[in-house]
């Protein structure tokens, strides 16, 4: 159907927490082997604690790299995180509460280092952090979710306004 792609907000996250149901709130996409940039434009207005949305490079529940927005009881934050062999690490974090956001992950093909970026206006990019990517053929993942204790049916959906995958020989737009 015509219109924007929406991903419902449901209980869940990438790391498979108790009561998670990731099949309803995660979009996976295979990446070309020569990709070097992923860019996501979205609208998201969280209304409850721990509601969140992320753009990720996903290998499995214990190995991924993500940049995204989360609503916590003490405020809204944009973070870049990495989980390797089941050990999560927050690489960078900034307080912000946009309802429209842009996230980007750029890969250096020569050493597989990935740099995360965010933008609050779609024109000016802020560099987050760079991580050494040890994932083997990761998939693109976009997910939204909420804590089981804070989730209520009817939480706002995340609306994908644009997803761009840039590879070394082409630019592809997917929506």
């Amino acid at each position: 159907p015509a219109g924007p792609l929406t991903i419902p907000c449901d209980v869940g996250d990438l790391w498979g927490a108790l009561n998670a149901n990731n099949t309803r709130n995660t979009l996976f996409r295979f990446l070309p082997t020569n990709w070097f940039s992923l860019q996501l434009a979205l609208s998201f207005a969280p209304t409850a604690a721990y509601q969140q949305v992320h753009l990720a490079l996903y290998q499995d529940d214990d190995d991924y790299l993500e940049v995204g927005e989360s609503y916590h009881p003490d405020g809204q934050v944009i973070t870049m995180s990495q989980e390797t062999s089941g050990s999560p690490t927050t690489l960078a974090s900034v307080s912000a509460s946009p309802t429209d956001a842009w996230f980007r992950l750029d890969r250096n093909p020569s050493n597989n280092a990935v740099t995360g970026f965010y933008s609050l206006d779609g024109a000016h990019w802020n560099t987050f952090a760079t991580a050494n990517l040890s994932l083997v053929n990761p998939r693109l993942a976009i997910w939204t979710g909420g804590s089981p204790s804070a989730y209520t049916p009817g939480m706002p959906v995340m609306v994908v306004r644009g997803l761009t995958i840039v590879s070394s020989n082409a630019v592809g737009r997917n929506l």
Side-chain angles (χ1 to χ4, degrees), residues 37-100:
S37 184
L38 308 173
Q39 300 171 20
L40 173 67
L42 59 91
S43 295
F44 178 67
T47 58
Y50 302 109
Q51 190 176 352
Q52 52 197 312
V53 61
H54 292 269
L55 168 66
L57 291 169
Y58 177 87
Q59 182 171 309
D60 56 50
D61 290 349
D62 291 329
D63 298 281
Y64 57 86
L65 176 70
E66 65 184 1
V67 61
E69 180 181 356
S70 300
Y71 180 88
H72 296 278
D74 55 350
Q76 221 165 313
V77 295
I78 297 175
T79 59
M80 182 172 172
S81 305
Q82 181 174 19
E83 185 165 336
T84 304
S85 300
S87 296
T89 303
T90 298
L91 303 173
S93 181
V94 64
S95 293
S97 51
T99 56
D100 294 319

Side-chain angles (χ1 to χ4, degrees), residues 71-141:
Y71 180 88
H72 296 278
D74 55 350
Q76 221 165 313
V77 295
I78 297 175
T79 59
M80 182 172 172
S81 305
Q82 181 174 19
E83 185 165 336
T84 304
S85 300
S87 296
T89 303
T90 298
L91 303 173
S93 181
V94 64
S95 293
S97 51
T99 56
D100 294 319
W102 292 259
F103 302 126
R104 191 172 96 208
L105 294 170
D106 287 355
R107 178 178 68 105
N108 180 336
S110 66
N111 63 9
N112 272 343
V114 175
T115 302
F117 301 87
Y118 72 94
S119 175
L120 302 178
D121 63 9
H124 302 93
W125 290 95
N126 301 291
T127 304
F128 245 150
T130 298
N132 292 319
L133 189 65
S134 58
L135 305 177
V136 178
N137 297 321
R139 291 176 285 166
L140 163 91

